């Protein structure tokens, strides 16, 4: 916690500079007016319980934006004033530091080779660890590429143990089957975690607490990751976890990108998704693993890789022929890193990928919510929750649970994560016409 009390030393009270380049893990408390002479700032990972010490003062809790720096003047009475606030990094910027791969060594003509080189380097530089390394493996493109490259590089670096991979699903779900195929191909020590509707019911409220968000799609997608992280912690000695997060944002992997009105508009939405990733997918991946003391590493968000990939022509990065992440897939098509059926596997909605043939995760959650809320509660939602108003019983349930631990803090979520350029009221890909057609 960073909080200068009245007993702070004179040197502490002169001026302090604070930087945060990660996620919303370092919230900020202040009065509503930044120029107020009575301002004071508190830095901590958990601040709700400290509100009783604010002596009735007006205060606001908000995430510290990634890639920013702020400087404060701390006055004699321990109150603060903002001296400077600016961004030192924008999505897609070239790294200020010396990169692992010299830019001059990249090919002028072979884009596919450059993508392979930079993604491989992004994984290689993250191999440094004092604890055992493993990887999430859903059998989708992103986690499979990361897992395959991780195993290859671990052998080259003579890591003295077999890489463990972890997949989760309900029974023989599509993700479980595909991940099993990848694990056999690349040679990991593979773990399959099966969960039941009862498991979902038992952890749902805990997941919302750890996420600190009422966002619908973030919560849905976090259930499986929370359960598999718990399994890793309780049953293995793996602590450092590689995962494929970030690829959908960088490489336009969401199915709705097929409906983008132009390449430039699609590029702009990639930047938006990456700018806000700490509130959604980044939040999910970070909080569900951190809840079980795991260290997550996400090479698709490597600064040099994203700088290069986002700098390629916008039209090249769009879905091609109805295939999302076509450029990324094509870059590895000439290798035997993955089976072709995996490299070109259709993207699954999370609730379908981990679902059993009998019942999807989506259905399990709906039945749970229906048993806990009535229709009258939904009718009152607009008055109770004017910001990001829940419009379904599911979203209302999430909001109710969120408010129990974080009352009146829904402004942490500026908007619900939703697909763009299509008319849907639910964030799941299952409601996009392209997805339904591809599943037939």
């Amino acid at each position: 916690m960073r909080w200068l009390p009245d007993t702070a030393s004179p040197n502490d009270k002169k001026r302090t500079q604070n930087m945060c380049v990660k996620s919303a893990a370092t919230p900020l408390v202040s009065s509503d007016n930044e120029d107020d002479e009575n301002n004071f700032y508190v830095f901590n990972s958990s601040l709700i319980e400290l509100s009783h010490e604010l002596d009735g003062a007006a205060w606001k809790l908000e995430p510290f934006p990634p890639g920013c720096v702020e400087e404060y003047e701390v006055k004699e009475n321990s109150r603060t004033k903002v001296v400077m606030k600016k961004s030192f990094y924008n999505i897609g910027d070239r790294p200020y530091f010396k990169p692992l791969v010299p830019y001059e060594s990249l090919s002028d003509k072979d884009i596919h080779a450059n993508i392979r080189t930079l993604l491989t380097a992004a994984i290689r530089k993250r191999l440094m660890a004092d604890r055992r390394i493993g990887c999430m493996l859903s059998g989708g493109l992103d986690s499979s590429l990361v897992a395959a490259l991780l195993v290859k590089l671990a052998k080259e670096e003579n890591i003295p143990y077999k890489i463990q991979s972890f997949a989760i699903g309900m029974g023989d779900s599509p993700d479980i089957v595909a991940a099993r195929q990848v694990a056999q191909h690349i040679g990991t020590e593979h773990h399959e975690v099966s969960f039941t509707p009862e498991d979902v019911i038992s952890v749902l409220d805990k997941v919302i607490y750890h996420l600190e968000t009422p966002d619908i799609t973030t919560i849905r997608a976090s259930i499986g990751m929370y359960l598999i992280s718990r399994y890793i912690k309780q049953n293995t000695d793996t602590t450092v976890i590689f995962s494929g997060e970030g690829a959908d944002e960088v490489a336009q992997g969401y199915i709705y990108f097929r409906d983008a009105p132009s390449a430039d508009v699609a590029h702009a939405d990639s930047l938006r998704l990456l700018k806000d990733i700490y509130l959604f997918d980044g939040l999910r991946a970070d909080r569900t693993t951190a809840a079980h003391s795991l260290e997550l590493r996400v090479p698709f968000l490597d600064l040099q890789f994203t700088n290069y990939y986002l700098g390629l022509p916008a039209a090249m990065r769009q879905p091609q022929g109805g295939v999302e992440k076509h450029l990324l897939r094509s870059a590895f098509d000439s290798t035997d890193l993955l089976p072709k059926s995996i490299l070109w596997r259709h993207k699954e909605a999370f609730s379908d990928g981990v679902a059993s043939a009998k019942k999807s995760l989506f259905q399990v959650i709906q039945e749970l919510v229906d048993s806990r809320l009535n229709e009258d509660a939904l009718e009152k939602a607009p008055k109770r929750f004017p910001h990001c108003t829940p419009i379904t019983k599911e979203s209302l349930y999430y909001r109710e649970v969120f408010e129990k631990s974080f009352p009146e803090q829904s402004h942490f979520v500026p908007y619900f994560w939703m697909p763009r350029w299509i008319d849907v009221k639910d964030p799941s890909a299952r409601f996009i016409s392209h997805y339904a057609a591809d599943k037939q």
Side-chain angles (χ1 to χ4, degrees):
M1 181 178 69
R2 184 113 186 177
W3 192 0
L4 295 181
D6 290 338
T7 56
S9 69
N11 287 336
D12 288 335
K13 293 182 178 181
K14 290 181 181 179
R15 181 165 290 182
T16 181
Q17 188 176 52
N18 300 279
M19 298 179 66
C20 177
V21 295
K22 298 182 77 174
S23 70
T26 315
L28 166 70
V29 168
S30 73
S31 77
D32 291 334
N33 183 358
E34 290 186 352
D35 295 324
D36 191 337
E37 292 294 321
N38 292 318
N39 270 358
F40 60 93
Y41 289 79
V42 183
F43 292 83
N44 194 7
S45 60
S46 178
L47 292 168
I48 295 294
E49 297 302 319
L50 296 179
S51 61
H52 65 278
E53 298 191 29
L54 300 181
D55 299 325
W59 60 279
K60 184 178 181 181
L61 183 65
E62 58 189 19
F64 195 108
C68 292
V69 59
E70 292 185 358
E71 184 177 348
Y72 314 101
E73 178 183 353
V74 183
K75 300 180 180 297
E76 292 298 323
N77 62 357
S78 296
R79 303 305 185 183
T80 64
K81 180 179 180 180
V82 177
V83 176
M84 177 270 292
K85 177 190 299 185
K86 68 178 182 180
S87 171
F88 62 84
Y89 173 78
N90 294 305
I91 302 298
D93 281 355
R94 187 164 178 161
Y96 294 121
F97 53 83
K98 182 179 179 181
L100 184 62
V101 179
Y103 278 94
E104 59 271 20
S105 71
L106 296 176
S107 171
D108 293 332
K109 298 179 180 179
D110 195 342
I111 291 173
H112 288 172
N114 292 340
I115 291 173
R116 292 194 300 270
T117 296
L118 292 175
L119 184 59
T120 301
I123 294 172
R124 187 186 299 277
K125 71 169 67 171
R126 288 168 172 79
L127 288 178
M128 183 172 59
D130 295 324
R131 302 295 183 90
R132 184 167 182 168
I133 296 172
C135 59
M136 301 292 192
L137 182 57
S138 71
L141 173 69
D142 312 331
S143 66
S144 298
L145 278 177
V146 169
L149 288 170
L150 173 60
V151 170
K152 179 176 180 289
L153 292 171
K155 292 176 181 177
E156 292 179 7
E157 298 294 328
N158 295 316
I159 290 179
Y161 52 79
K162 204 168 188 177
I163 297 295
Q164 295 180 327
S165 58
F166 303 93
I168 189 166
M170 301 172 73
D172 271 350
S173 65
D175 277 2
I176 285 286
V177 174
R180 188 181 301 153
Q181 181 184 359
V182 175
Q184 291 172 351
H185 183 81
I186 65 178
T188 59
E189 180 188 309
H190 191 56
H191 296 244
E192 294 181 357
V193 181
S194 181
F195 70 95
T196 66
E198 290 71 31
D199 292 323
V200 176
I201 294 170
S202 69
V203 303
L204 181 56
D205 290 10
K206 297 176 184 177
V207 168
I208 297 171
Y209 171 79
H210 285 291
L211 290 175
E212 301 182 6
T213 181
D215 181 65
I216 304 161
T217 193
T218 303
I219 294 170
R220 285 180 187 167
S222 294
I223 295 169
M225 201 162 185
Y226 180 89
L227 288 169
I228 199 170
S229 296
R230 185 178 69 181
Y231 171 89
I232 295 170
K233 178 64 176 180
Q234 294 177 350
N235 297 278
T236 78
D237 60 347
T238 288
T239 300
V240 177
I241 300 294
F242 279 70
S243 189
E245 267 70 35
D248 285 328
E249 289 78 6
V250 174
Q252 300 187 21
Y254 294 113
I255 294 173
Y256 75 80
F257 272 101
R258 302 184 198 178
D259 294 296
S262 71
D264 289 340
V265 171
H267 171 69
D269 203 56
S270 278
L271 298 182
R272 175 190 68 85
L273 289 168
L274 288 165
K275 178 177 177 290
D276 291 346
I277 195 171
Y278 76 106
L279 298 170
F280 299 104
D281 262 23
L283 182 77
R284 166 183 58 78
D286 175 60
R287 299 299 178 84
T288 54
T289 51
H292 301 287
S293 303
L294 303 181
E295 180 187 335
L296 190 71
R297 299 188 179 180
V298 284
F300 275 111
L301 294 176
D302 178 79
L303 297 187
Q304 187 179 22
F305 179 79
T306 56
N307 165 250
Y308 178 80
Y309 202 96
L310 294 171
L312 295 172
M316 183 184 295
R317 291 180 279 115
Q318 286 192 282
Q320 306 291 329
V323 179
E324 77 284 345
K325 287 182 283 201
H326 189 276
L327 176 60
L328 181 62
R329 298 175 194 270
S330 299
F332 288 90
D333 193 51
S334 61
T335 74
D336 63 352
L337 196 66
L338 292 172
K340 292 294 189 284
S341 61
I342 298 296
L343 187 63
W344 295 95
R345 182 189 174 199
H346 166 69
K347 182 176 178 60
E348 297 275 0
F350 177 80
S351 56
D352 283 348
V354 300
S356 67
K358 296 180 180 179
K359 183 179 291 187
S360 74
L361 177 61
F362 179 85
Q363 290 173 298
V364 172
I365 293 174
Q366 302 309 307
E367 292 177 3
L368 168 64
V369 170
D370 284 341
S371 70
R372 296 187 179 181
L373 289 180
N374 56 45
E375 296 296 335
D376 292 341
L378 189 59
E379 293 176 1
K380 299 174 183 177
K383 185 176 181 179
R384 293 181 61 202
F385 307 118
H387 173 69
C388 283
T389 302
I391 61 174
T392 66
K393 289 175 70 174
E394 180 189 4
S395 61
L396 176 59
Y397 179 78
Y398 295 163
R399 184 64 165 272
E400 295 271 15
V401 176
F402 172 83
E403 292 286 339
K404 289 179 183 178
S405 297
F406 313 105
E408 300 181 1
Q409 302 304 317
S410 64
H411 60 275
F412 264 48
V413 182
Y415 55 86
F416 285 133
W417 194 103
M418 292 288 286
R420 292 292 179 96
W421 313 304
I422 51 177
D423 184 21
V424 294
K425 295 182 179 180
D426 189 282
S428 174
R430 63 169 50 240
F431 294 103
I432 300 176
S433 58
H434 304 308
Y435 180 76
D438 288 345
K439 291 293 288 180
Q440 293 176 354

